[in-house]
Amino acid sequence: VNLTKVINHPQQSLDVDLEEGGMLNVRAVPSQETNAHIIFQMRALDVLNIEKGALGLGRTDPYLEISKKYDCPQIGRPHWQVVYRSEVIHNHLNPFWERSDPINL
């Protein structure tokens, strides 16, 4: 997601369709501070329940991963490196993750 595009949007918010299905709403505002890390607070709504369990009562255990894209001309395609992985929230289809520790990019 190009954060400049999000910041320049009238509501400073943009919905992004995810390749694997689902949608991500990104809201970004310019920071008055200058530093080399990002702090996230995320939530998900209506996560697909892939753990049906007994009698269809199981719940998915979602987690969140944030990856950074690197161009790799040697292999002819980009490489994605995970820079953050949240804790797992067990048995929940509308998880809310607390504010993260700073992520150094």
Side-chain angles (χ1 to χ4, degrees):
V1 176
N2 183 331
L3 290 180
T4 302
K5 184 176 180 181
V6 176
I7 290 169
N8 292 333
H9 192 270
Q11 288 82 30
Q12 294 181 320
S13 178
L14 191 63
D15 290 334
V16 179
D17 288 319
L18 301 176
E19 292 177 10
E20 294 82 19
M23 181 170 292
L24 176 67
N25 178 269
V26 179
R27 183 173 188 284
V29 294
S31 174
Q32 301 304 318
E33 300 177 27
T34 58
N35 52 34
H37 64 267
I38 297 175
I39 298 173
F40 288 94
Q41 187 167 20
M42 306 287 285
R43 81 180 283 194
L45 298 173
D46 300 324
V47 173
L48 180 64
N49 186 8
I50 59 172
E51 294 181 11
K52 298 299 182 191
L55 303 173
L57 300 176
R59 293 276 195 269
T60 297
D61 301 328
Y63 61 91
L64 171 70
E65 282 187 350
I66 298 173
S67 299
K68 185 174 181 179
K69 180 180 178 181
Y70 293 94
D71 289 326
C72 293
Q74 307 91 314
I75 60 174
R77 57 181 161 75
H79 168 72
W80 292 87
Q81 179 180 348
V82 175
V83 294
Y84 174 79
R85 182 173 176 177
S86 72
E87 75 277 9
V88 174
I89 299 182
H90 296 282
N91 301 316
H92 209 297
L93 300 179
N94 295 296
F96 178 82
W97 290 274
E98 295 298 328
R99 183 175 160 172
S100 74
D101 291 331
I103 300 170
N104 293 316
L105 301 175

